[in-house]
Amino acid sequence: MRIGELAARAGTTTRTLRYYETRGLLPARRDGNGHRTYDEADLTLLRQIRTLQDFGFDLEETRPFVECLRAGHPEGDVCPASLAVYRRKLDELDALIGELQAVRAKIGVRLALAEDPMCELGGQGL
Amino acid sequence: MRIGELAARAGTTTRTLRYYETRGLLPARRDGNGHRTYDEADLTLLRQIRTLQDFGFDLEETRPFVECLRAGHPEGDVCPASLAVYRRKLDELDALIGELQAVRAKIGVRLALAEDPMCELGGQGL
DNA sequence: GCTTGCCTTGACCTGGGCGTCAAGGCTTAC
DNA sequence: GTAAGCCTTGACGCCCAGGTCAAGGCAAGC
C-alpha cells in the first residue's frame, strides 16, 4: 500500500508518515516510481506509535516499542526496553499529577480567599 | 532601579523583562540614557507574574492579575477577571489531571500484563 | 586612555510534531 | 490531450517563553 492509504487507515496524515521516516522510526520501501510502499506490518507499527503518542509519549519513547514489534514480538511492550519506558512514564506521570494537584490546591485556596477575604478557611471569620 | 537589579531581585533575567515589555505586560519608564527604570511597584507586578507562571499560567492569563494590582488593589486576584481565570484554571487542571490519571491507569495495566502475560489482573492465571 | 560593567536594539535559535505551500512527475480516466 | 489524483522533495510556518549572540553606547574606576 502507498502512503496515502496507510495514513488513512491509521487515521493520520502523509506528512506525519514522512516525518516518522525522517526520524528513522518508520522507514519505507520504494516502488519503481520512487513512491513509498508499506505493508500490514507497517500499519501495526504505526498504530503502536499512535497509541503511545495519544498517551503523551514522545516520539523517541515509542522507538523501543516499534523495534520490539519489528523484532518479531506480537506486542511492542514485552521487551525490556519498552517496560523501562513504561516505568519511567509512570514515574513521570505520578510526579506531574502530584505537582498539578498541589497547584490545584493552592489555586483553590487563593480562590476561596479572594472570593471571601473574611473567610480564614477554617470556617471561623476572623 | 534598572533592569538588571529588578531581574535579580525577582530571580529572573533581563531578557524576560524585555519580553514582558514587548507583550505590554510590564512597560518601563526610561531615564535620560534610554535605560529602563522600575520601582518597587513593578517588582510586585513582576512577582505576581512569576508566581502565576510557576503555577503554569500562560503569560496572557497573568494580565488580569497585573491590571488588578495596577488598579490599586493590594492583591492581584481580588478582581472579577482574575477570579474568572482562577476558575477556568481549576477546570483545566481537573480535566488534565483526570486525563493523566486515566493514562496512568492504562499504562499500569499494560505494564502488569507485559511483565506477567499469564496474569489476567484478576489474580487467576488463565 | 582603557577596561569593566551596565545598558540598548535587532535578529535569529530552541523544541516537538507536524501543517502548509511550492514546483514538479507519473498514471489513469475521459 | 488533458485534467484529476496520487506521489515526490524542499522549505518555511507555528506555538511559547524566552536564550543567545551581535554591535554598539555610556559611565565609573584605575
Side-chain angles (χ1 to χ4, degrees):
Chain A
M1 110 192 73
R2 286 185 304 177
I3 192 169
E5 186 181 347
L6 178 60
R9 289 181 64 187
T12 184
T13 68
T14 60
R15 178 68 181 90
T16 295
L17 298 192
R18 292 193 192 99
Y19 178 64
Y20 290 172
E21 186 170 346
T22 68
R23 303 282 86 194
L25 205 56
L26 195 66
R29 274 71 60 198
R30 302 299 178 116
D31 68 13
N33 289 326
H35 291 185
R36 290 172 179 81
T37 302
Y38 303 89
D39 57 24
E40 295 297 321
D42 291 315
L43 179 58
T44 301
L45 300 184
L46 181 51
R47 283 188 171 141
Q48 173 75 83
I49 297 170
R50 293 267 100 199
T51 298
L52 296 176
Q53 286 271 88
D54 288 346
F55 282 177
F57 285 51
D58 293 343
L59 256 196
E60 274 311 306
E61 293 176 323
T62 72
R63 197 180 294 275
F65 297 80
V66 173
E67 288 178 354
C68 188
L69 282 170
R70 213 176 261 129
H73 298 281
E75 301 291 335
D77 55 13
V78 300
C79 299
S82 306
L83 296 178
V85 173
Y86 271 164
R87 292 195 195 94
R88 190 156 46 75
K89 216 61 190 174
L90 284 180
D91 288 346
E92 286 177 18
L93 280 170
D94 288 341
L96 179 56
I97 290 169
E99 287 173 21
L100 293 178
Q101 284 172 335
V103 167
R104 205 230 108 97
K106 286 184 187 171
I107 295 176
V109 169
R110 284 168 177 260
L111 178 59
L113 285 172
E115 278 179 327
D116 181 6
M118 292 306 101
C119 163
E120 278 297 318
L121 248 65
Q124 348 276 350
L126 193 55
Chain B
M1 108 192 77
R2 286 184 303 177
I3 193 169
E5 186 182 345
L6 178 60
R9 289 180 64 185
T12 183
T13 68
T14 60
R15 178 68 179 92
T16 295
L17 298 191
R18 292 194 191 99
Y19 178 63
Y20 290 172
E21 185 170 349
T22 68
R23 304 282 86 195
L25 205 57
L26 194 65
R29 273 70 60 198
R30 301 299 178 117
D31 68 13
N33 289 326
H35 291 186
R36 289 171 179 81
T37 302
Y38 303 89
D39 56 24
E40 296 296 321
D42 290 315
L43 179 58
T44 301
L45 299 184
L46 181 51
R47 284 189 170 140
Q48 173 74 84
I49 297 171
R50 293 267 99 198
T51 298
L52 296 175
Q53 285 270 87
D54 288 345
F55 283 177
F57 284 51
D58 293 344
L59 256 195
E60 273 311 306
E61 292 176 325
T62 72
R63 198 179 293 275
F65 297 80
V66 173
E67 289 178 354
C68 188
L69 282 170
R70 211 176 262 129
H73 298 280
E75 301 291 335
D77 54 13
V78 300
C79 299
S82 306
L83 296 178
V85 173
Y86 271 165
R87 291 194 195 95
R88 191 155 45 76
K89 216 61 191 174
L90 284 181
D91 288 346
E92 286 177 18
L93 279 170
D94 287 341
L96 179 56
I97 290 169
E99 287 173 22
L100 292 177
Q101 285 172 335
V103 167
R104 205 231 109 97
K106 285 184 188 172
I107 295 175
V109 169
R110 284 167 178 260
L111 178 59
L113 285 172
E115 279 178 326
D116 181 6
M118 289 307 99
C119 163
E120 278 297 317
L121 246 65
Q124 350 275 350
L126 192 55

